[in-house]
Amino acid sequence: MSGSARSEIVQALAVLEIGELLRFYVGAEDVIRGKPSPEGYVLAAQRLGAAPERCLVVEDSEAGIAAGIAAGMRVLATSAANPPPDRPGHQRQHAAHRVVPGLAGLQLVDLAAVMTS
């Protein structure tokens, strides 16, 4: 689930060369209400055929964290691009189930810990 337009998602997936790994994606045009509404995450879970409590959301924004939690999902926040608290654009991530400095080096055991904490 991204709050970005589908055209931006397509471009990012091409740059990252991961588009073929995804069954689908949900973008801004797929929902009526954007984040912090849980609508996008609920739609994604429905398309996956997964119960929300079995879904893990990876987020970096307050609105995204709130959306994931409101959807009944576990939320892992990454602070990699988060400016310090005294800087413009800082995102409060304390509501996430776990905050990590970045995604590099994360192991399945780390993700499992978020799902069971």
Side-chain angles (χ1 to χ4, degrees), residues 13-116:
L13 293 174
V15 169
L16 296 170
E17 299 179 351
I18 60 170
E20 66 280 352
L21 299 174
L22 302 178
R23 287 191 250 168
F24 66 89
Y25 52 87
V26 176
E29 297 91 342
D30 297 309
V31 296
I32 295 170
R33 295 173 309 274
K35 299 171 188 175
S37 166
E39 183 181 349
Y41 284 123
V42 170
L43 176 61
Q46 289 171 343
R47 288 187 180 175
L48 284 170
E53 63 272 10
R54 295 187 43 90
C55 295
L56 175 64
V57 169
V58 178
E59 265 295 347
D60 62 350
S61 72
E62 288 179 56
I65 292 166
I69 291 171
M73 300 175 178
R74 305 297 292 178
V75 179
L76 172 72
T78 174
S79 61
N82 196 10
D86 59 338
R87 300 290 184 160
H90 174 74
Q91 300 290 308
R92 294 180 320 165
Q93 299 176 324
H94 66 280
H97 295 97
R98 187 166 183 189
V99 179
V100 295
L103 300 179
L106 278 180
Q107 303 288 317
L108 285 177
V109 68
D110 301 317
L111 302 178
V114 177
M115 295 303 292
T116 59

